[in-house]
Amino acid sequence: MGPLIVYEHISEYTNLLMAFIIGIGFGFVLERSGFSSSRKLAGMFYGYDTTVLKVFFTAAIVAMLGLLFFSLFGWIDLSLIYINPTFLWSAIVGGAIMGVGFILGGFCPGTAFCALSIGKLDALTFIGGLVIGVVLFTEGFPLIEELFYAENMGTPTINELIGISRGTFGLILILVALGMFFVGEWAERKFPREEY
């Protein structure tokens, strides 16, 4: 689940059980927040419902602060956390493809499974498309391998890229989140829409 320093006191099976319980809790929060509704998710792009922005920004802030404080108290070693390498061009192209898929389908992969768990058939269609996309990517990988690995930036974090401490970056991100919450509330008032 995580590189907790107390991992030596937690068995592998307890660690998996904790991950399972956290995953169930995360799915519950997603569903209760309305993320199983493709209209709510698409509403983010059209500006009439910013729940997605608020929930994900809140989750990111809580996770970031949790990691920073766990590190401060010596409960976690941040140097042991795996960071995916950044390949700039594949991130840009992949992000654009996912963004188009998100707005066309009304789901991202996680929310699609959340919607499927409560029986939404449009989510099943989306997941079918996701599986087809994975197969096409896997089989066509030799054709795009050069693009995939282009512009390897290593494993930088944003605070390292802009040359500030983790704490300062955390404070800036909290302020940005508060600003985005304000903008989100403004957008919901400016572009109201009733859900069906």
Side-chain angles (χ1 to χ4, degrees):
M1 185 170 74
L4 290 174
I5 292 172
V6 295
Y7 184 74
E8 61 203 35
H9 304 294
I10 300 173
S11 74
E12 182 180 347
Y13 296 110
T14 304
N15 195 37
L16 290 173
L17 177 64
M18 289 170 55
F20 178 74
I21 291 169
I22 290 170
I24 294 292
F26 183 70
F28 177 78
V29 169
L30 281 181
E31 206 289 315
R32 296 304 303 156
S33 299
F35 282 35
S36 58
S37 166
S38 58
R39 286 192 176 106
K40 183 170 284 293
L41 294 166
M44 177 62 224
F45 291 96
Y46 295 114
Y48 65 82
D49 190 333
T50 57
T51 302
V52 174
L53 171 83
K54 295 171 194 169
V55 170
F56 275 127
F57 234 136
T58 301
I61 295 294
V62 169
M64 176 194 64
L65 288 177
L67 284 171
L68 287 175
F69 280 109
F70 273 37
S71 175
L72 180 68
F73 299 144
W75 296 345
I76 194 166
D77 183 352
L78 293 178
S79 68
L80 298 177
I81 295 178
Y82 178 77
I83 300 174
N84 283 323
T86 301
F87 298 100
L88 186 62
W89 289 111
S90 58
I92 291 170
V93 172
I97 291 170
M98 182 163 171
V100 169
F102 193 128
I103 194 61
L104 290 176
F107 295 107
C108 71
T111 58
F113 283 99
C114 179
L116 182 63
S117 71
I118 62 168
K120 296 207 171 181
L121 294 180
D122 56 342
L124 182 60
T125 304
F126 185 88
I127 291 169
L130 187 149
V131 170
I132 291 168
V134 167
V135 169
L136 290 174
F137 174 82
T138 303
E139 294 302 316
F141 185 74
L143 300 173
I144 61 167
E145 187 171 5
E146 188 176 326
L147 171 67
F148 184 84
Y149 290 116
E151 199 66 36
N152 182 357
M153 297 178 64
T155 57
T157 58
I158 296 173
N159 67 291
E160 290 170 353
L161 286 175
I162 58 178
I164 60 174
S165 71
R166 290 178 176 145
T168 302
F169 176 74
L171 176 62
I172 291 170
L173 191 61
I174 290 169
L175 295 174
V176 168
L178 292 173
M180 290 304 295
F181 292 164
F182 176 79
V183 169
E185 291 293 324
W186 172 83
E188 286 179 359
R189 287 191 303 275
K190 179 91 170 147
F191 309 106
R193 180 172 172 176
E194 294 295 320
E195 285 216 28
Y196 301 100

